Amino acid sequence: MRILFVVWPMAAHLYPIVPLARAFQAAGHETRVASHPALIEEITATGLAAVPVGTPDTMPPLSRVGDYVLPEEERNRLAKAFNVTGADEHAWFMFSYFALAGTRIFHSPGDSDDGAIAGTDYLVDIARAWEPDLVLWDMWPAAAIAARVTGAAHARFLWGPDYCGWARQRYLRLGEAEWTRQPDPLAQAVTEAARRHGCTVDDELLLGQLTLDPTPATLRLDTPAPTVSMRRVPYTGADVMPEWLHERPRRPRVAVSLGMSGREYASNGALVTKLLEMVADLDIEVVATLNEVQLRGQRVPDNVHALDYVPFNQLLPTCSAIVHHGGSGTVMAAAAHRVPQLIEVEGLESATYAPYVLRHGAGLTLDHKRQSADVMRARLLRVLHEPSFRAGADALHAEWLTMPSPREVVPVLEALTRRHRSRG
C-alpha cells in the first residue's frame, strides 16, 4: 500500500506524523511526505522520503500567511454569526486567525491568468503520478481533493484540538439561514480549488473520511468528524547525543523551552528575562533551548546551559521538571517522560493544555506579567520538591498510555483504505 502524507510546512506539524509513518513502513507499506519546499530539508532529516509541492518560486512563501487572515471586521461579523461566547473564544480565535489562514494560503488562486492554485494543482499532479492508496493530511484539504481525483482513501491527522471540525459543527448547527445565505468560511476557503478539479465541497472533503486525534478525550471539541484516537508519540528531531547527557545530573535538572514555532514570530524578551531571573542562584541545573535572538541582551545565570536545540527524547528523561509555553507537543512529550510541568499562561495553546495538566496535579502555571520572579521561583521549587507533582506526572503518563499507539492505528487505516479506495 502507498501512503502519501501531506503536511502543513512547520516542524510542529511534521513531527507528530513521523512515528505513524514509521509504523506504516514496519507494516510493509511505502510512504512519502509532501509539503511546501520550505519543509523539505526537515522531512529528509527524519529519514522519510520528501516530495516538494511546487517550487519556492511558484508556492506562496510562508511569510505571507498573515495576508490570508480575514480582516478583523469580517472575523467579528463571523463571530457574531457563530454566536461565540466566552467559553468559545479560544477555539474561535485558533480557527479564525490561525487554522483558516493556514487553509486559505494553499487554496487561493495566484497571480497567473489561468487561475492556477499552486497549493492544490501540484498536489493533484503528485497524486496522479504516484497513485497513493491512502492520503493523510492536516490543514490542507487540497490533499482530499487530490485523493478524490485519483480514487485514494483519505484521512486527516490533527496536531491539537480540532478547530476546523468545531467551526464546521457550529456552522451546521446554526443553519445557513443564520448566515444570511453566506457559505461556511471553511468551505468557502476551498471551494474554488475544489471546483477547479471537479470536486464537491462536503464534510468528507473538509474533514476527511476519518480523523486521527492525538488530543486527550477531555480536551476534544465537538465536531461532526468520525474520529479515532492515536497516542502522540514524541518525536522531536534527531541529533548526536551530547556527552553531558550521558551521566545522571548531580543536581535537579530543569528544562526550559518556549517551542520551535514561536521563534519565527516573536522572541518574547520579557518572558525570557523573567524565566532567567526565576532560576538564577538556585541549586539546580537549567537547560534552556533558546536561540540567539531569544537570548539577545539577556544575562544568562551561571547555572543555565543555553543552547539552540536538543531533542526532548534525549533531554527529558534526565529532567526533574520542565518550564514551557503550553504547546501540545511539549505537554505530551513531558507526559510521555513523566516530567512535572510549569506552564506559562501566555502561551498560544496554554489555555487548552494548562488546565489539563493542573487537573492531573502534574504541574503549576506561571504568569510572567503578573507574578514576580520570587513568586515564580517558589512555584518552581514546589514542583521540584513536592512528591504530589511527580505522582501527577505519573497519572498523566498512565492516561497517555491508554490511547492507541500509531502501530495499533495502522490496521484501522488499512481497513479505511479497503473501504474507500475506488481504484484497483
Side-chain angles (χ1 to χ4, degrees), residues 1 9 22 38 45 49 52 85 115 128 190 221 236 282 336 352 357 379 408 413:
M1 197 164 86
R22 289 175 175 172
T85 63
R128 280 178 170 151
V190 303
L221 300 170
T236 52
L282 290 177
T352 297
V357 171
R379 289 189 160 225
E408 293 171 301
L413 293 170

Side-chain angles (χ1 to χ4, degrees), residues 159-175:
W159 49 269
D162 189 359
Y163 300 112
C164 289
W166 171 85
R168 180 66 175 171
Q169 182 79 303
R170 181 60 65 95
Y171 172 78
L172 294 173
R173 284 185 173 170
L174 288 173

Side-chain angles (χ1 to χ4, degrees), residues 298-352:
Q298 302 287 348
R299 187 188 72 80
V300 179
D302 292 339
N303 63 341
V304 174
H305 181 190
L307 69 169
D308 184 87
Y309 168 77
V310 62
F312 274 158
N313 286 352
Q314 296 179 10
L315 175 61
L316 289 183
T318 73
C319 289
S320 300
I322 178 170
V323 180
H324 65 90
H325 61 307
S328 56
T330 307
V331 168
M332 301 319 293
H337 293 288
R338 297 184 172 94
V339 180
Q341 307 179 43
L342 269 173
I343 300 176
E344 164 59 40
V345 298
E346 195 181 57
L348 186 63
E349 296 180 83
S350 64
T352 297

